[in-house]
Amino acid sequence: MLVVTCPHCRAAVMPQNDGTCPACRRIIPASQAEPFVIHRGNAGGGEPSQHASSSNSFDAYGQPATWDESPQVAIVRFWRRLFEITPRIVVTPIIVVVNAVIFLLMTLDSGAILLPPTETLLDWGANYGPLTLDGQWWRLLTCAFVHIGIIHIGLNMWVLWNIGQLVERLAGNVGFLALYLLSGLFGSLASVYWNPAVLSAGASGAVFGAFGGLMGFVLLRGDSIPKGILGPLRNSGLTFLFYNMIFGFSIKGIDMAAHLGGLAAGFACGLILSQPLDQVSRLTRIWRNAVMLVLGSLGLMIAWQAAPAAPPDLRGRLAQFGAVERAALDAYNEAVRKYQADRLSADEFAGLIEADILPPWQNVREQFDQLDLAQLPAGSQPSVTKLRQYLLLREEAWTALAIGLKQNDPLRLDEAQEKSAAADRLGRDVGGVD
């Protein structure tokens, strides 16, 4: 393939299939591409020295290490070797397409492109401790393909597209796929370990794993990467970590546990997969992939067995409470209108309360009374306590009303009115339960 000098970064490169420079990733206009000839031997075109020809020291590209080589030639040989060991990038674009298709289907399902409803996220496989730790282990994987809005998926796929192609060429197609999936699984596990009561979703853990894999390769095989590429990689890596740590710990809602779990898993995978570029072969990749999969699977099994018990499903109980409350209040208000219009007797009104309103209400109250507040997030405990008081007041008000109607007891009717008013006041604060 023709080697040219990039008009932007002046590196001697072989243009990629899309006409971009592999060094700076910018388009190389055909009219500006200058032919570049690589001479065997030193960069000046002469023959290698006697010392070089007799030396047994070789670099990562299989060339004598004593040859004098320009940075441009080193970059060319680095990218040429990457294209030789991994001719095609297939996993990264497939992952991007799969994520985009799933997000499109989710958007059609919910009608929301910026912030899908919680129910939609759960239906499509988001990670949620009360469900994941209660046997729905598959959410550890599916959550890596579910995103919370167009901005969320856009950022994740942009980072993956930029970092994934390089890591895939270094690790190979199969190796990169395994690294990506293992990173996503470990990131999801870290999330439910750290904050099991919070719903989480997104490819961030797996994307951080891809970055961690690159860092693992750079750490062990920095001598296989030309300085002109190694320096910018290290700088961009440190910048990536610095800004993500700052934003991750300062902005509420960012799942840093998943990020760090995926980063650590990807880094470990990168250490296992990394090898000198001149030693990469189909066989060496197969056995390194096998080692990574075996160790990764064992790690997942151990981590899953040691996972904490599933916390109470507060979201599910709140959803049930909301449905029961709407039905109970609608039935009660309709009964009041009929009673005031003399279309319902006192006994019939009392019977409706006892048969249709109180049983489902008492069932919800008992479920919240059974909750162990210590297992709930600290921020939710005061609100759940208020909700319990509200449920009890409303139940006592309806019970007193039913008795007062059947016995024509003014004192019970007054009690019902007082407790109903107190429940109304407390009910205004109940909506803040997280």
Side-chain angles (χ1 to χ4, degrees):
M1 182 179 292
L2 177 65
V3 177
V4 300
T5 299
C6 175
H8 306 292
C9 65
R10 307 305 300 172
V13 297
M14 293 183 297
Q16 300 190 80
N17 294 334
D18 58 359
T20 59
C21 169
C24 67
R25 304 301 176 90
R26 286 182 285 185
I27 296 293
I28 301 178
S31 60
Q32 299 180 27
E34 304 172 15
F36 182 90
V37 179
I38 302 178
H39 298 284
R40 179 174 176 80
N42 59 29
E47 293 299 320
S49 66
Q50 182 65 30
H51 175 73
S53 62
S54 62
S55 173
N56 292 323
S57 176
F58 292 86
D59 66 12
Y61 310 100
Q63 298 288 355
T66 53
W67 284 10
D68 184 17
E69 181 180 64
S70 71
Q72 294 174 327
V73 175
I75 291 174
V76 170
R77 289 201 292 113
F78 171 74
W79 284 107
R80 182 169 58 190
R81 182 57 180 158
L82 282 187
F83 276 75
E84 288 174 354
I85 61 178
T86 309
R88 291 178 297 277
I89 296 297
V90 294
V91 176
T92 300
I94 287 176
I95 292 175
V96 172
V97 169
V98 169
N99 276 277
V101 169
I102 291 176
F103 181 74
L104 176 61
L105 294 175
M106 283 179 54
T107 303
L108 294 175
D109 181 28
S110 66
I113 193 171
L114 292 177
L115 189 62
T118 299
E119 295 75 14
T120 301
L121 295 172
L122 288 174
D123 289 344
W124 283 84
N127 193 17
Y128 182 45
L131 302 181
T132 304
L133 296 173
D134 194 34
Q136 298 184 18
W137 55 266
W138 46 268
R139 291 182 179 274
L140 295 173
L141 179 61
T142 56
C143 71
F145 297 90
V146 175
H147 287 86
I148 310 175
I150 186 71
I151 298 177
H152 190 205
I153 187 175
L155 289 174
N156 277 338
M157 293 304 99
W158 178 73
V159 175
L160 174 62
W161 185 258
N162 282 279
I163 195 72
Q165 296 181 74
L166 175 57
V167 180
E168 185 172 348
R169 291 203 184 273
L170 289 169
N173 306 123
V174 176
F176 176 70
L177 177 61
L179 179 151
Y180 183 87
L181 295 178
L182 285 173
S183 299
L185 288 169
F186 275 104
S188 299
L189 269 174
S191 180
V192 294
Y193 263 73
W194 182 258
N195 209 343
V198 173
L199 183 146
S200 64
S204 302
V207 172
F208 268 73
F211 179 78
L214 178 60
M215 293 299 99
F217 187 94
V218 168
L219 179 66
L220 285 187
R221 307 299 174 192
D223 56 348
S224 292
I225 305 176
K227 293 181 180 180
I229 295 178
L230 184 61
L233 275 181
R234 285 175 174 168
N235 292 337
S236 62
L238 292 174
T239 302
F240 178 83
L241 284 177
F242 176 75
Y243 282 109
N244 274 281
M245 291 299 176
I246 290 180
F247 288 116
F249 287 111
S250 61
I251 299 177
K252 183 179 179 181
I254 295 181
D255 192 354
M256 282 303 297
H259 292 181
L260 295 177
L263 180 70
F267 181 74
C269 290
L271 294 178
I272 296 173
L273 295 177
S274 62
Q275 55 184 311
L277 293 183
D278 65 311
Q279 298 178 12
V280 175
S281 67
R282 185 170 180 270
L283 182 60
T284 59
R285 277 185 167 175
I286 288 176
W287 75 259
R288 284 179 181 273
N289 290 344
V291 170
M292 177 182 63
L293 287 172
V294 170
L295 294 179
S297 299
L298 287 175
L300 286 171
M301 292 172 59
I302 294 172
W304 180 252
Q305 291 298 322
D313 183 7
L314 183 57
R315 288 179 181 271
R317 297 193 185 190
L318 287 173
Q320 181 186 10
F321 157 71
V324 169
E325 182 187 40
R326 286 190 296 272
L329 291 179
D330 288 345
Y332 171 72
N333 291 330
E334 179 64 20
V336 168
R337 286 191 290 269
K338 289 182 178 180
Y339 177 71
Q340 292 174 344
D342 293 329
R343 291 189 291 127
L344 199 67
S345 67
D347 287 340
E348 290 173 333
F349 192 1
L352 186 147
I353 292 173
E354 293 174 337
D356 297 340
I357 297 177
L358 281 175
W361 192 269
Q362 290 169 336
N363 179 52
V364 171
R365 179 186 58 77
E366 290 171 358
Q367 289 190 32
F368 275 94
D369 286 344
Q370 293 169 2
L371 281 178
D372 183 0
L373 290 180
Q375 295 182 331
L376 299 178
S380 299
Q381 294 175 11
S383 299
V384 171
T385 300
K386 289 183 180 180
L387 178 57
R388 285 176 171 177
Q389 296 170 353
Y390 169 75
L391 286 164
L392 181 61
L393 276 173
R394 189 69 78 188
E395 180 181 333
E396 290 177 343
W398 281 330
T399 301
L401 177 60
I403 296 174
L405 288 171
K406 287 194 296 185
Q407 299 178 0
N408 194 23
D409 185 346
L411 293 179
R412 300 291 285 182
L413 293 175
D414 289 342
E415 177 188 352
Q417 186 174 6
E418 291 175 1
K419 291 192 173 182
S420 180
D424 288 339
R425 290 192 296 270
L426 189 59
R428 286 189 284 270
D429 297 331
V430 168
V433 179
D434 295 323

